[in-house]
Amino acid sequence: MPRARRSWLERIQGIAFDAVLFAIAAAAGEQVVQSWLFDHPAALFHGLTALHLITCPALLIAIVVGHGKADAELQRNTRPGLLGWAMALLWGASFIIPGVLALTFDVALWEMMLAIFGPLVVFVLWMWGLIVAERRRWIAPARMGEAKPWWSVQALSLLTWAYLIWLETMLIAAAAKPGPLTSVGVPLGVAIDYLPIRVAMYYVRDSSRWEVWTIVATVCFLLYQIATA
């Protein structure tokens, strides 16, 4: 596929992703859907844990090696910009929301601990594996400023999209359970987990500036669904 066509596809892709996230958030607020979600809490959290273990480290590594716009953004800003804050929250705060959801849906303690601490361990092991592979010349060294393989960008985008769909569904379902934990923890989850993931997804692709507005619309609608759940 020509590079220009790939770039065009990535720009359209992000807006399409947000449209689907908007639709999923609307569907998750329906009573029938919420009843089904409450009947399968363990299966829901199994899926969230698996996606959380892979998505957060994968995004951090993609930013570090300069996927998409991340390279130019990190080099342009001497102070922490939007991407810098997204990285900080991904590393330092993304573990909070799996814990809140685990307590809300009463899942096993071992799975809650895995969801909380697993991504940090996976990130360190993943980076160590990349360093070893580069030193032994099993893979080519990652260089900032170089275009990354298109298939890897697409795989990362689809993985992140799946995680956001799963996360917003569980946040809306958790918001329907009254209590101080969900009334504070669920909106906080949008701010320190969902939004940083979506911002990181924006920067690791050749995204359009119009996508910023669809991100704002999707996040605002998700907060509305949480407030009215």
Side-chain angles (χ1 to χ4, degrees):
M1 185 184 296
R3 186 169 182 176
R5 189 172 179 182
R6 291 180 181 181
S7 178
W8 176 83
L9 180 59
E10 286 186 34
R11 291 169 182 269
I12 299 298
Q13 200 175 51
I15 297 173
F17 283 167
D18 284 328
V20 174
L21 289 171
F22 196 97
I24 294 294
E30 296 295 325
Q31 186 63 41
V32 176
V33 177
Q34 289 195 358
S35 297
W36 184 88
L37 294 174
F38 288 140
D39 290 339
H40 304 84
L44 283 172
F45 201 81
H46 292 339
L48 182 71
T49 301
L51 289 168
H52 188 70
L53 282 172
I54 302 172
T55 306
C56 291
L59 278 173
L60 283 170
I61 290 171
I63 294 170
V64 169
V65 301
H67 269 63
K69 296 181 176 182
D71 178 22
E73 180 67 17
L74 291 176
Q75 291 185 12
R76 180 169 55 246
N77 289 326
T78 55
R79 297 179 180 179
L82 189 59
L83 180 59
W85 283 110
M87 286 183 67
L89 289 171
L90 271 176
W91 175 255
S94 62
F95 66 90
I96 296 174
I97 302 311
V100 171
L101 292 175
L103 293 172
T104 303
F105 289 98
D106 194 25
V107 302
L109 179 62
W110 69 267
E111 190 169 12
M112 181 174 73
M113 293 294 103
L114 179 63
I116 291 174
F117 299 108
L120 304 179
V121 177
V122 171
F123 174 75
V124 173
L125 292 177
W126 199 334
M127 288 296 295
W128 175 79
L130 289 175
I131 293 170
V132 170
E134 287 182 3
R135 286 180 176 176
R136 297 189 179 184
R137 299 182 180 179
W138 294 341
I139 60 174
R143 291 185 173 88
M144 301 293 281
E146 286 187 353
K148 303 304 183 286
W150 194 68
W151 65 266
S152 68
V153 176
Q154 293 305 299
L156 180 62
S157 298
L158 291 173
L159 175 67
T160 307
W161 187 38
Y163 176 72
L164 289 173
I165 289 174
W166 211 288
L167 179 61
E168 73 174 10
T169 301
M170 292 198 70
L171 288 172
I172 293 172
K177 288 191 171 187
L181 181 64
T182 54
S183 63
V184 176
V186 172
L188 184 65
V190 178
I192 67 174
D193 195 356
Y194 183 93
L195 183 56
I197 291 280
R198 186 62 188 87
V199 169
M201 183 182 177
Y202 171 81
Y203 278 106
V204 298
R205 297 166 24 259
D206 187 13
S207 47
S208 166
R209 289 189 178 274
W210 288 103
E211 194 176 322
V212 173
W213 297 105
T214 61
I215 292 172
V216 171
T218 304
V219 171
C220 288
F221 183 69
L222 175 58
L223 289 172
Y224 170 78
Q225 289 292 86
I226 288 170
T228 57

